[in-house]
Amino acid sequence: MISLQNVSKAFSGQPVIQSVALSIEQGEIHGIIGASGAGKSTLLRLMNLLERPDTGRIEFDGMDLTNLSNRQLRQTRQNIGMIFQDFNLVGNKTVEQNIAVSLELSGVKKREWTNRIEECLRFVGLESFARKYPSELSGGQKQRVAIARALANRPRVLLCDEPTSSLDPSTTSEILRVLQNINQALGVTIVLVSHEMQVIQSICNRVTIMADGQIETTIATEPAGITEITSDAGWFLTQLTERRDPHA
Ligand SMILES: Nc1ncnc2c1ncn2[C@@H]1O[C@H](COP(=O)(O)OP(=O)(O)OP(=O)(O)O)[C@@H](O)[C@H]1O
């Protein structure tokens, strides 16, 4: 579904992503883990061309995104939603207005907005929050709104950049359940960047481990299930190294 081939990216001459090849398969929940500064967020932002690669191809359904016109890229990006650690909601707009902005940017007809807004808010369990402002919401509720906003465009892939890093353990579990439900009920492919092993372990089918702008390995795994997240999950890596993905 998304394929990166020989992708490199530098900032001010400093290489941040180096000759990376990675394939995201339709229907999977693919985790990307690594130390701070390893290049995880940059890799994720390359997948929807929020960052342009210096070299290499980035394909979505076989189309090289770097060769598309601005209009074609805007259209293709409607298939690729994104959520962030700090939610990126517009503070002076209500929940429904936040979602409407996204629908307008995507060119969805105004007469469809009410339905789309209701549909995505119902999916994340916030249908009664449409008229609230972000400042009236908890962190977990803000992230649900951000997820609803991404879902409103009916994406096929959801890119998640540290979506639970600002949240407490039980809210983290809640958000992971929402992501898993999006994958299972809606068939949306998910790419999940996190530095927390237990977050990755709980819902991912494959895990890519990054270090210094390169991919160390990609491993197939059985999602362990969502339990209360704690910070101690170092054992996960040792378990995973036994089960390298033969297709990686
Ligand atoms: N827009 C930018 N301009 C300059 N340098 C950048 C930019 N974005 C990222 N970098 C640098 O690229 C490197 C990788 O950053 P990136 O955010 O991708 O890493 P990360 O693995 O996601 O780290 P973290 O877990 O701390 O978020 C870092 O050294 C960072 O300072």
Side-chain angles (χ1 to χ4, degrees), residues 11-12 16 34-43 51 161-162 193 195:
F11 290 115
S12 316
V16 171
S36 183
K40 307 181 294 297
S41 295
T42 305
L43 188 69
E51 299 291 352
D161 194 357
E162 300 274 6
V193 163
H195 61 274

